[in-house]
Every structure is written in C-alpha cells, then in structure tokens.
C-alpha cells in the first residue's frame, strides 16, 4: 500500500518537473523573440503628430487594415479584438493599432504626438492642451459590489 502511494507521488513529481523544464525553455525562447521584436520596433520608430478621430476594439478583419496585416497575424489573433485608433496624420486618415496602455490613455478628438512604428502606436509623447493622461485604473472585481454613499 505504502509502496504504491510512493510510486504515484514519484510519477506525479517527475511529470511536474518535466512540465516545468519545458515551460522554462519555452519561456526563454519566447523572451529572446520578444527582445528581437522590441528592437525592431524601436529601430522603425518615429514621432508623429496626429489627430485622434476614433478608437475602438475591433477584430483585425473588421478594422479596415491592409490585407497583409490580416494574413501575417497569428491564427489566435484573428479572432481576438485589438485596440484600433483611427487618426488623421497630415492630410491622410489612417487606421493604426495601439499598445494597450496607450489605447487606454489616448483621448479622442485631440491632437497628440505619439511614437509610431509602422502601423503600431507604442508611446504617447505629448498631448496638445495638457499633460499626458495616465491610463485609467482598472476596477477590481470586488469594487463593483461596493455601495457608494451619496455625499451632500
């Protein structure tokens, strides 16, 4: 009886160790790829002044992006909604993809200087008429259930 319990625990321990080793090496590989992509984004980055017309979260196919963007997107990203910003850059109206933090902080119908790398907005430099707003804090799950007292 004790021998079988030890065997089961040993097998489970070995499986967990193998899974951790696979996750470790996979994580290292993905981290290297992310560093390379970040360097490529920084190399192609340029500061642009734009007027934000609209911002929404849309699927890549519905976002009116070039066809090649949809074709090069991974399969799992084709169904996911991405932060899309419609902006006027000079005389052209363009559809851009924004970083999640930038998307939350970027005000609509305002002129802003942003760092753009291809079709991707990576950072807000400044906003006309004020400081760069910080991204709104996300409400926690339990904050939805708290009652607010009316102060008079």
């Amino acid at each position: 009886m004790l021998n079988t319990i030890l065997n089961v625990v040993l097998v489970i321990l070995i499986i967990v160790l193998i899974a951790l080793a696979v996750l470790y090496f996979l994580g290292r590989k993905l981290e290297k790829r992310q560093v390379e992509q970040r360097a490529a984004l920084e190399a192609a980055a340029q500061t642009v002044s734009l007027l934000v017309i609209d911002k929404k979260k849309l699927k890549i196919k519905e976002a009116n992006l070039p066809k090649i963007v949809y074709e090069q997107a991974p399969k799992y990203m084709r169904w996911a909604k991405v932060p899309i910003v419609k902006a006027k850059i000079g005389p052209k109206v363009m559809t851009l993809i924004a970083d999640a933090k930038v998307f939350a902080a970027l005000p609509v119908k305002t002129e802003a200087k942003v760092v753009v790398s291809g079709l991707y907005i990576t950072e807000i430099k400044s906003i006309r008429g004020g400081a760069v707003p910080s991204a709104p804090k996300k409400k926690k799950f339990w904050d939805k259930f708290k009652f607010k007292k009316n102060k008079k």
Side-chain angles (χ1 to χ4, degrees):
M1 172 82 177
L2 185 62
N3 196 13
T4 58
I5 293 174
L6 287 175
N7 285 340
V8 169
V9 169
L10 186 63
V11 169
I12 291 173
L13 186 63
I14 290 172
I15 291 172
V16 168
L17 288 175
I18 291 172
L20 286 175
V22 168
L23 287 175
Y24 173 75
F25 288 113
L26 186 64
R28 296 264 314 241
K29 183 178 177 183
L30 291 175
E31 186 179 355
K32 287 179 185 176
R33 188 182 304 165
Q34 183 182 19
V35 168
E36 291 171 2
Q37 289 175 349
R38 180 64 59 189
L41 277 176
E42 290 174 1
Q46 44 185 208
T47 304
V48 175
S49 179
L50 56 81
L51 174 68
V52 179
I53 298 171
D54 190 23
K55 65 179 192 174
K56 295 179 186 175
K57 287 200 172 206
L58 297 171
K59 292 181 181 177
I60 291 179
K61 193 157 194 159
E62 301 169 355
N64 198 18
L65 291 167
K67 188 177 179 183
I68 194 160
V69 173
Y70 178 74
E71 291 171 355
Q72 288 181 349
K75 299 277 186 197
Y76 66 91
M77 284 300 295
R78 294 181 184 179
W79 297 102
K81 291 188 175 184
V82 293
I84 301 293
V85 175
K86 192 172 186 180
K88 185 175 182 182
I89 303 174
K92 291 177 68 177
V93 176
M94 295 184 69
T95 305
L96 305 167
I97 301 173
D99 190 40
K101 294 175 186 173
V102 172
F103 182 77
L106 196 62
V108 179
K109 296 190 174 116
T110 56
E111 193 172 322
K113 283 196 179 198
V114 296
V115 176
V116 176
S117 181
L119 290 175
Y120 194 70
I121 302 173
T122 56
E123 181 184 354
I124 301 173
K125 288 287 186 183
S126 66
I127 293 179
R128 175 173 275 190
V132 177
S134 61
K137 285 193 174 182
K138 193 172 183 180
K139 289 186 177 181
K140 295 180 183 173
F141 179 74
W142 292 110
D143 290 344
K144 296 177 186 176
F145 302 109
K146 291 182 180 177
F147 293 107
K148 295 182 180 178
K149 295 180 181 179
N150 292 334
K151 295 181 180 180
K152 292 184 180 180

